[in-house]
Amino acid sequence: MKSPTTATGPATTAGKTGKARKAGKSRKAGKAGAATTTAVRTGFSRGLIELRQAFAGFELVNQLLWPVATLTAVFFLRDREFRDTGFALGTLVMPGVLGMFIALGMILVMQYLTVEREDGTLLRARTLPHGIRGYFLGKLVTTSGSVLVYLAILLIPGAFIVDGLRLDSAGSWLTLAWVVMLGLLGTQSLGAVFGALASNPRAAGVMSLPVMGLIGVSGIFYPITALPDWLQGIAQVFPVYWLGLGMRSALLPQDMAAVEIGQSWRHLETLGVLGAWALLGLVLAPVVLRRMARRQSGSRVAAYRDAALQRVG
């Protein structure tokens, strides 16, 4: 007669092996989760540090220059009427200007990436577990924080400069919040993609020209209905127009939608287009950044440095 222990030995061994495998997978998952958490925490902290540095000392003057200059332009437009509509041009322009500064975050991220690829920052991030993910998050925090400061500089005084902004409604602030959030994610993620494709800061500067042109034809400074039909179609493909429209829908009275396409704020379309661009950018950016980081090496960083010294010399 066989011993019960002997009879159940193989099953017991298999059970122990299965438990050991599960335990090993759990430990690996735990380590991966801890590494991801560390990368996220590090990226967030790094972004906050860079944000403080960006608004310290003489850098503060550079940061204030463009928002203050833009606010001055809005001041001179505050009493001009738009195309016999009875609406003040300054009131129409103000929300679109806020959208423009959100869109400019795309160019800021492009500049950050090309510069930090040459000075070795991206290479150092690649050596850390999930370092590229943390680096990307840090850039989002730094750029988003800068853009939010710009918006505050524009919106707070702008509420006193121009008449007709709708700031006393909870619905307006809610719309403003989701438009700003999706706009920041979408434009900066795309900026990371474009920055990864640029070979050097000079190339990034060239790539920024089409972005500026797109901003110019996207109805930021005036309703898009003032443009030819074919330009209206092109502008509506990209997120910049929808940023301007979303900001206008949040801050302007409902009757001002009369000068928009379809005489409507088109909230659902705005949410759909901005959400699609944000999702596309968030999916593509980490992939493109990881591919770019894999091509980096100490010798390549040294070559970047030598080329930069030759340009300076």
Side-chain angles (χ1 to χ4, degrees):
M1 183 176 178
K2 292 183 179 180
S3 169
T5 304
T6 305
T8 58
T12 302
T13 302
K16 290 181 178 179
T17 303
K19 291 180 180 179
R21 288 176 180 173
K22 290 181 180 179
K25 290 180 179 179
S26 298
R27 284 194 295 270
K28 290 180 180 179
K31 290 180 180 178
T36 301
T37 302
T38 301
V40 169
R41 188 184 301 116
T42 302
F44 192 80
S45 300
R46 178 186 178 89
L48 291 178
I49 292 171
E50 291 180 350
L51 180 61
R52 287 195 295 268
Q53 292 174 344
F55 286 87
F58 186 74
E59 289 297 322
L60 180 61
V61 177
N62 294 330
Q63 297 286 2
L64 294 177
L65 177 62
W66 285 111
V68 172
T70 304
L71 196 61
T72 302
V74 172
F75 175 80
F76 289 109
L77 293 174
R78 71 191 188 282
D79 294 326
R80 296 189 179 183
E81 185 178 346
F82 175 72
R83 295 175 59 182
D84 299 323
T85 60
F87 300 142
L89 186 57
T91 305
L92 289 172
V93 164
M94 188 66 195
V97 164
L98 299 177
M100 179 193 70
F101 272 85
I102 296 174
L104 289 176
M106 186 187 308
I107 297 177
L108 288 177
V109 174
M110 290 170 57
Q111 293 173 343
Y112 282 138
L113 278 178
T114 52
V115 170
E116 294 183 354
R117 176 172 54 189
E118 293 196 352
D119 67 12
T121 300
L122 194 64
L123 179 61
R124 291 190 293 272
R126 193 192 69 175
T127 62
L128 301 174
H130 302 287
I132 297 300
R133 184 180 302 174
Y135 173 84
F136 177 51
L137 176 60
K139 293 298 107 180
L140 289 180
V141 170
T142 301
T143 310
S144 297
S146 300
V147 171
L148 289 175
V149 172
Y150 300 155
L151 298 187
I153 294 172
L154 290 164
L155 184 57
I156 295 174
F160 299 95
I161 292 175
V162 299
D163 297 324
L165 294 181
R166 190 174 51 154
L167 298 173
D168 57 351
S169 168
S172 297
W173 288 102
L174 180 61
T175 302
L176 184 67
W178 65 258
V179 170
V180 169
M181 181 187 69
L182 291 178
L184 290 173
L185 290 176
T187 55
Q188 292 174 38
S189 298
L190 289 176
V193 173
F194 295 149
L197 297 176
S199 58
N200 53 58
R202 185 176 299 175
V206 173
M207 291 179 66
S208 67
L209 295 178
V211 175
M212 296 298 294
L214 180 63
I215 292 174
V217 300
S218 292
I220 284 293
F221 300 104
Y222 38 76
I224 199 173
T225 50
L227 298 176
D229 291 342
W230 65 275
L231 271 181
Q232 293 181 29
I234 293 175
Q236 290 179 77
V237 175
F238 299 97
V240 181
Y241 161 72
W242 299 97
L243 270 174
L245 179 64
M247 300 299 280
R248 289 193 292 275
S249 72
L251 297 176
L252 298 181
Q254 180 61 38
D255 56 356
M256 284 194 172
V259 298
E260 301 290 346
I261 295 176
Q263 298 183 345
S264 169
W265 294 127
R266 299 194 290 172
H267 280 139
L268 289 178
E269 292 92 333
T270 302
L271 179 62
V273 175
L274 289 180
W277 277 103
L279 181 61
L280 178 64
L282 289 174
V283 170
L284 286 180
V287 175
V288 176
L289 286 175
R290 280 194 294 268
R291 291 186 61 184
M292 181 183 72
R294 283 196 294 267
R295 296 196 298 267
Q296 300 305 303
S297 64
S299 59
R300 179 164 290 191
V301 171
Y304 288 147
R305 188 178 296 113
D306 291 341
L309 291 174
Q310 289 178 3
R311 289 196 297 267
V312 173

